[in-house]
Amino acid sequence: VGAMLWRILAAVFILFANFWLRQPKAEAYLFANYEMEKMVGSISYSSLLNRSHEDKHLVEVFDSVEAIMPEKHRLNQFVVRVVQDEQWNAFCVPFGIFYVTEGMMKNLNDDDLAAIIGHEIGHSQHNDWGKLFEAQMLTSVGINYLANTHRVSNEAATIGGSIINIALSRGYGFAAEYDADKYSFLCLSTEKSKYNPAGQAIALVHLEKYVNSRGGEAGGVANFI
């Protein structure tokens, strides 16, 4: 009982440090650590592998945008793929995996696409998935799981799937979306950028017209707009 109590107290202390104390740029996470990010990213990649493919032009635009990002990347490498879907969407999932749908690729020019990519890189840099993952894990798992850490991995895999769905539906929240827009705009506004930073606004106009053309699509990019 004594050992269990100390483990629970230690877990409470870690939670306090994660959520209430100011963190440096390299934030500390109880659940959303590097290995967990790798696992959840692998789940996403496997689930979309048969419905996605590499695209040379998308990779070229992505590499150009990545090259002007001012902050050091959290991750060493990225995967960029096109999803076989006519709906307009773009999203990133844990471990630096980025997707853009065929529908969006066909209807946006390079300035708009660069803005979308910069926005998604912003989500990755800010580790938005990790913050959401932490909240969901704590809600679902609770303190009891912290005392039995061998049970966390299965729960995490389940919640990992929900994080992917949240990324698809733009569920990070307004503040996170705004920060990702700001991150992209500031990058595209630098002298090193070959893209028009106005693409950040124009892309949103295109998305709004797309949503309206579909009768105000419920969920998806409508939430983001």
Side-chain angles (χ1 to χ4, degrees):
V1 176
M4 177 73 72
L5 178 61
W6 278 112
R7 293 176 71 180
I8 293 175
L9 289 174
V12 171
F13 175 79
I14 293 172
L15 294 180
F16 177 82
N18 278 337
F19 287 93
W20 284 282
L21 296 181
R22 294 185 62 183
Q23 298 288 347
K25 277 192 175 182
E27 294 183 0
Y29 289 98
L30 182 63
F31 297 112
N33 53 36
Y34 178 84
E35 290 302 321
M36 189 61 66
E37 182 169 10
K38 183 177 180 180
M39 185 190 77
V40 176
S42 297
I43 293 171
S44 165
Y45 182 78
S46 299
S47 67
L48 291 173
L49 185 61
N50 294 332
R51 294 200 300 117
S52 64
H53 60 272
E54 294 183 356
D55 181 271
K56 182 179 179 181
H57 181 65
L58 177 61
V59 171
E60 289 175 351
V61 176
F62 184 93
D63 287 345
S64 297
V65 175
E66 181 197 351
I68 61 176
M69 294 294 153
E71 300 179 23
K72 183 178 180 181
H73 294 302
R74 294 189 308 105
L75 303 172
N76 295 324
Q77 60 184 9
F78 300 97
V79 174
V80 190
R81 296 179 69 83
V82 174
V83 180
Q84 297 168 1
D85 192 335
E86 289 302 316
Q87 295 189 62
W88 293 23
N89 205 350
F91 54 96
C92 69
V93 296
F95 209 54
I97 305 174
F98 296 80
Y99 296 98
V100 180
T101 62
E102 289 180 343
M104 184 167 279
M105 287 288 295
K106 293 175 184 177
N107 289 281
L108 297 184
N109 63 29
D110 284 1
D111 289 332
D112 305 336
L113 189 58
I116 296 293
I117 289 172
H119 174 96
E120 298 304 333
I121 292 178
H123 277 311
S124 178
Q125 286 290 79
H126 299 155
N127 204 24
D128 287 332
W129 82 272
K131 297 167 187 174
L132 193 60
F133 188 84
E134 289 279 295
Q136 291 211 0
M137 282 294 291
L138 291 172
T139 300
S140 179
V141 179
I143 294 297
N144 288 335
Y145 272 102
L146 299 180
N148 299 277
T149 54
H150 64 280
R151 300 177 63 186
V152 170
S153 58
N154 292 333
E155 187 75 14
T158 301
I159 295 178
S162 70
I163 295 296
I164 295 167
N165 292 331
I166 289 169
L168 281 164
S169 63
R170 295 286 189 184
Y172 288 121
F174 178 80
E177 297 297 344
Y178 177 82
D179 286 344
D181 272 344
K182 181 179 179 181
Y183 181 90
S184 179
F185 180 78
L186 291 176
C187 292
L188 297 177
S189 300
T190 63
E191 293 182 356
K192 295 180 180 180
S193 172
K194 65 179 182 180
Y195 301 107
N196 184 353
Q200 192 70 49
I202 296 171
L204 292 175
V205 172
H206 288 321
L207 285 168
E208 183 179 33
K209 290 181 178 178
Y210 165 76
V211 171
N212 290 336
S213 71
R214 298 172 63 87
E217 179 188 58
V221 292
N223 290 340
F224 173 54
I225 297 298

